[in-house]
Amino acid sequence: MKLAGLKSIENAHDESVWAATWIPATETRPALLMTGSLDETVKLWKPDELTLERTNTGHCLGVVSVAAHPSGSIAASASLDSFVRVFDVDSNASIATLEAPPSEVWQMQFDPKGTTLAVAGGGSASVQLWDTEKWKLIATLSIPRQEGPKPTDKNSSKKFVLSVAWSPDGKRVACGSMDGTISVFDVARAKFLHHLEGHFMPVRSLVYSPADPRVLFSASDDAHVHMYDAEGKSMIAALSGHASWVLSVDASPDGAAIATGSSDKTVRLWDLGMRAAVQTMSNHVDQVWGVTFRPPGGPGPRAGRLASVSDDKSLSLYDYS
């Protein structure tokens, strides 16, 4: 397996690019790459030329997360302004605006069926689940407070929820916190199941394996990527190689590899069979906040694609084979 650079866009945004995801292809158009930036905009790009399809405005502070509905027709962007904007991909018409208290909107992800949007709740130490039909809040998955003599504010700040991921069967939601803990929830019962231990610094990104609903990957400021059996509560492997914080992780659609982005300015490709990094890409000159594999399906040739975004304002596209 390898990555080959296809194209980079310098100054893709006016400020740092903090978020990226692919919008799945529909019957009428190919998959699009969606990026979100500190410059308060969301941009949609056409592969492989990375031509700018549209720029969406509507936030009054930086965009921290973007999410795409599995249908490819709806997307969402979350901002430091504490609003989530849900919009129609092809017309940019606003569908809903979800409001949260300050610093309670971080990463988001739609569930595999597209019925629910999970939002990492930051300082609320919880994950909010929004129904995608009426855009109503249907559940709050709260991390239980640790037993102690006295619950303190300091305790809850450590549980600040940064990242969220759905299992491929839609039965579980995992979230990563500032203190390094990962919490796993049973969605149907809205019940906390257990913590996954091993990180001691913020977990900024999580992704389940598309090949195995039990396997969860985490990226942390401790410079490690962990591979967990999320049901059996055990760590399968700890992958080291980055020289600094690991800010983003994504799994390849074939389940054979993961890619990571780091504040060491590199993108790494990891072979899960070998449990080792097999390639390092160094085309960014600042920290890499997002890596995202294109989902399978859609018209046209179906080559593998990975995109990365960075504080250097640029966007890079790679062939994955």
Side-chain angles (χ1 to χ4, degrees), residues 262-275:
S262 165
S263 54
D264 68 10
K265 309 175 189 175
T266 68
V267 171
R268 285 180 189 240
L269 181 70
W270 308 76
D271 180 323
L272 295 176
M274 295 163 56
R275 293 188 189 164

Side-chain angles (χ1 to χ4, degrees), residues 36-252:
S37 166
L38 183 56
D39 69 10
E40 305 170 11
T41 69
V42 170
K43 294 188 177 187
L44 305 184
W45 308 84
K46 254 194 185 145
D48 275 344
E49 304 76 25
L50 293 181
T51 44
L52 183 61
E53 181 86 344
R54 197 174 60 242
T55 301
N56 294 352
T57 55
H59 288 293
C60 54
L61 285 170
V63 175
V64 291
S65 175
V66 287
H69 190 274
S71 67
S73 57
I74 298 170
S77 54
S79 161
L80 294 170
D81 62 15
S82 297
F83 287 100
V84 175
R85 180 174 181 263
V86 183
F87 58 94
D88 180 286
V89 170
D90 295 312
S91 70
N92 190 27
S94 286
I95 293 169
T97 302
L98 316 179
E99 193 176 352
S103 85
E104 290 188 14
V105 175
W106 294 90
Q107 274 180 11
M108 317 175 283
Q109 194 186 5
F110 286 94
D111 77 308
K113 290 198 180 80
T115 60
T116 311
L117 177 68
V119 180
S124 68
S126 66
V127 174
Q128 279 80 44
L129 300 183
W130 295 82
D131 160 73
T132 60
E133 197 179 357
K134 299 194 166 68
W135 298 106
K136 295 275 183 272
L137 185 64
I138 49 173
T140 297
L141 309 177
S142 295
I143 300 174
R145 283 185 174 272
Q146 279 162 322
E147 299 301 315
K150 253 195 206 146
T152 61
D153 280 346
K154 194 166 171 249
N155 237 350
S156 62
S157 70
K158 289 179 183 169
K159 292 283 180 255
F160 192 102
V161 179
L162 294 163
S163 51
V164 68
W166 286 92
S167 62
D169 58 14
K171 292 179 176 172
R172 300 282 184 266
V173 160
C175 67
S177 297
M178 202 69 100
D179 66 353
T181 51
I182 297 164
S183 306
V184 181
F185 296 89
D186 175 324
V187 176
R189 295 185 297 157
K191 183 172 181 288
F192 168 79
L193 294 176
H194 49 255
H195 289 306
L196 301 174
E197 309 285 342
H199 290 299
F200 297 97
M201 291 176 74
V203 175
R204 295 182 191 271
S205 183
L206 292 169
V207 66
Y208 275 88
S209 165
D212 184 344
R214 291 175 67 106
V215 174
L216 178 70
F217 301 98
S218 58
S220 170
D221 286 10
D222 62 19
H224 288 82
V225 177
H226 287 176
M227 181 177 179
Y228 291 98
D229 175 343
E231 296 295 298
K233 296 191 281 188
S234 59
M235 199 197 310
I236 301 166
L239 308 175
S240 58
H242 279 297
S244 186
W245 301 0
V246 190
L247 302 171
S248 178
V249 61
D250 197 21
S252 63

